[in-house]
Amino acid sequence: KQSDEKDKDKADRATSDQVLDQRTRMILLQMINRGFVSEVHGAISTGKEANVYGAMLVDDKTGDVVHKAIKVYKTAILVFKDRERYITGEHRFKGGFDKGNNRKMVKLWAEKEFRNLRRIHSAGIPCPEPISLKLHVLVMGFLGDRKGWAYPRLRDATLIGDDVDQQWRTLYIQLLGIMRKMYQVCRLVHADLSEYNILYHDGLLYIIDVSQSVEPDHPRSLEFLRMDIKNVGDFFRRKGVDTLSDRAIFNFITAATGPVEEPGLAETLEKLYETRESAADEDQAAALEVDNEVFRNQYIPQTLEQVYNIEKDAQKLSQGEGGDLVYKNLLADQVVRPEEDQNDEDDSEDESGSGVSLSGSESGDESKFDKGR
Ligand code: ADP
Ligand code: MG
């Protein structure tokens, strides 16, 4: 066991190039003391919202080195404003959301990433292994080689060989499969998916940066999913891949029946290619673009509530705010007075007092539909 002084040096090393606050340094020190890592190195990445540091765990006896990554969320005030929209409407975080308290916000954020990683990792989707979490500091498995070089982002990946086109197509199919599995098995929409938040190594895609990922019952999950689909399509089209329409992919990901594992996922996608309307090539590209555009602007009811909550919608209409309702014309002549005020942000659920405990049940979705509002 090393002396405290020596440990402290190691924790300090990470702070030499980036100023970390006292609290963060104490957490890093604690993680060294608890044996999650032996030393913390410089930043692999410095972002708006978080820095990612390299770290090592050295086996005392054998001297074997295992690399880790530590994501430290920044507690600065400004950058977290935009994140509200991901948390609002998340039943997992009801009661745990306090805009005024910055430190709580970043803690929540790290916690969200940790929980989401756990789901994704245990579903067998390539991603960093979640190892330890303390406040706004998250230790995870390192995605990189044994020398400590991180795998490139998909954006920077160079594929080699004489079948590069085929490789890009295979990666495209692989990613669509991952998105479906994430949705169906992990019950998550990534919500910031792009070539920047995927690492690539040796034919495999690794999903990272999942703090903002939401469950399908989040009021904006389908909007986020459509954005993910768009980003993925744009990227692979630039790589010359013949992509499926956004709509076809959306249906593929959200369809309740069908395979959620390989090789079934890839087979289903190949069938989609076979059965799609075969027009002349250029027409097809144009048609695809129009269809994508129409699809992106369509209203998709998200939950049963959105489809059936007549009272709430009637209230909206009576206040002149019903313009975005699909069936506004149907409702127009039967506007009724709402009985009492409804809180339209939150349909408070019974777990509100439980805060954001890590061990809590995560499948509170179903209860919502039983309540019969
Ligand atoms: P940000 O919120 O700053 O975008 P990310 O989670 O996307 O944070 O991480 C930023 C960068 O750090 C990634 O692009 C990747 O290069 C690197 N990185 C993140 N996690 C790991 C990891 N587990 N192993 C190796 N590199 C990682
Ligand atoms: Mg990122």
Side-chain angles (χ1 to χ4, degrees), residues 31-32 34-38 53 55-57 66-71 110-111 113-119 121-122 127-134 137-143 358:
M31 288 183 163
I32 291 173
R34 296 198 177 157
F36 290 115
V37 293
S38 321
Y53 298 94
M56 285 184 358
L57 178 59
V66 186
H67 292 280
K68 312 276 173 189
I70 305 186
K71 188 164 179 175
E111 199 160 281
E113 175 130 47
F114 194 77
R115 290 168 58 150
N116 291 342
L117 274 182
R118 276 209 308 214
R119 284 196 197 179
H121 192 255
S122 56
C127 72
E129 178 195 2
I131 295 173
S132 166
L133 172 75
K134 175 85 188 194
V137 179
L138 188 163
V139 183
M140 58 184 149
F142 178 72
L143 299 175
L358 275 180

Side-chain angles (χ1 to χ4, degrees), residues 58-345:
V58 185
D59 189 306
D60 277 346
K61 294 197 186 84
T62 64
D64 287 349
V65 168
V66 186
H67 292 280
K68 312 276 173 189
I70 305 186
K71 188 164 179 175
V72 177
Y73 280 89
K74 296 186 178 176
T75 43
I77 299 166
L78 287 170
V79 294
F80 278 92
K81 281 212 173 123
D82 183 47
R83 300 220 141 192
E84 183 178 345
R85 63 190 181 122
Y86 294 96
I87 294 232
T88 307
E90 259 263 32
H91 70 78
R92 292 183 294 168
F93 292 91
K94 293 231 168 94
F97 180 58
D98 175 4
K99 282 181 271 181
N101 188 333
N102 228 34
R103 224 177 269 143
K104 255 194 198 157
M105 274 297 289
V106 289
K107 171 174 175 279
L108 202 64
W109 223 239
E111 199 160 281
K112 220 157 128 43
E113 175 130 47
F114 194 77
R115 290 168 58 150
N116 291 342
L117 274 182
R118 276 209 308 214
R119 284 196 197 179
I120 299 166
H121 192 255
S122 56
I125 295 169
C127 72
E129 178 195 2
I131 295 173
S132 166
L133 172 75
K134 175 85 188 194
L135 297 176
H136 58 288
V137 179
L138 188 163
V139 183
M140 58 184 149
F142 178 72
L143 299 175
D145 66 17
R146 300 178 53 154
K147 287 183 177 163
W149 294 101
Y151 296 148
R153 297 177 301 184
L154 183 59
R155 177 185 187 279
D156 307 318
T158 344
L159 305 183
I160 36 174
D162 44 20
D163 60 344
V164 165
D165 289 347
Q166 184 54 40
Q167 288 181 49
W168 280 117
R169 186 178 186 278
T170 305
L171 290 177
Y172 175 64
I173 301 291
Q174 184 185 133
L175 184 52
L176 297 183
I178 289 174
M179 290 169 80
R180 171 162 168 81
K181 194 169 177 185
M182 257 183 91
Y183 191 91
Q184 299 295 338
V185 178
C186 311
R187 305 304 290 161
L188 287 174
V189 171
H190 187 291
D192 192 16
L193 192 64
S194 75
E195 63 274 25
Y196 293 90
N197 284 329
I198 299 170
L199 303 188
Y200 170 81
H201 178 66
D202 201 16
L204 277 189
L205 300 175
Y206 295 80
I207 303 299
I208 63 164
D209 207 356
V210 293
S211 57
Q212 71 294 313
S213 303
V214 297
E215 300 201 323
D217 77 336
H218 184 285
R220 297 176 71 174
S221 71
L222 297 185
E223 183 189 323
F224 297 148
L225 178 59
R226 286 201 287 201
M227 193 49 74
D228 286 353
I229 291 171
K230 178 185 186 309
N231 292 341
V232 167
D234 287 349
F235 174 75
F236 280 97
R237 265 190 299 282
R238 286 202 299 278
K239 294 294 178 186
V241 175
D242 172 22
T243 57
L244 291 163
S245 75
D246 285 12
R247 185 193 303 270
I249 297 166
F250 183 91
N251 292 338
F252 164 75
I253 291 171
T254 57
T257 57
V260 294
E261 296 287 344
E262 296 297 3
L265 289 167
E267 278 165 13
T268 307
L269 287 163
E270 293 304 343
K271 265 186 219 130
L272 283 179
Y273 271 105
E274 283 163 27
T275 56
R276 72 179 171 178
E277 289 158 301
S278 45
D281 272 6
E282 261 176 46
D283 286 357
Q284 194 173 312
L288 179 70
E289 199 164 303
V290 171
D291 189 52
N292 279 348
E293 211 43 57
V294 170
F295 173 74
R296 282 166 196 159
N297 293 321
Q298 242 166 30
Y299 170 87
I300 303 175
Q302 197 102 21
T303 61
L304 284 179
E305 272 180 8
Q306 251 172 323
V307 178
Y308 293 122
N309 199 334
I310 302 279
E311 284 109 292
K312 196 151 136 193
D313 293 345
Q315 184 188 17
K316 261 186 146 180
L317 271 178
S318 69
Q319 294 166 346
E321 296 166 357
D324 60 335
L325 298 176
V326 266
Y327 49 87
K328 57 175 183 251
N329 297 332
L330 266 176
L331 272 177
D333 13 71
Q334 44 180 19
V335 170
V336 282
R337 287 278 131 213
E339 282 154 45
E340 50 195 82
D341 264 351
Q342 288 196 10
N343 179 354
D344 58 7
E345 275 292 63

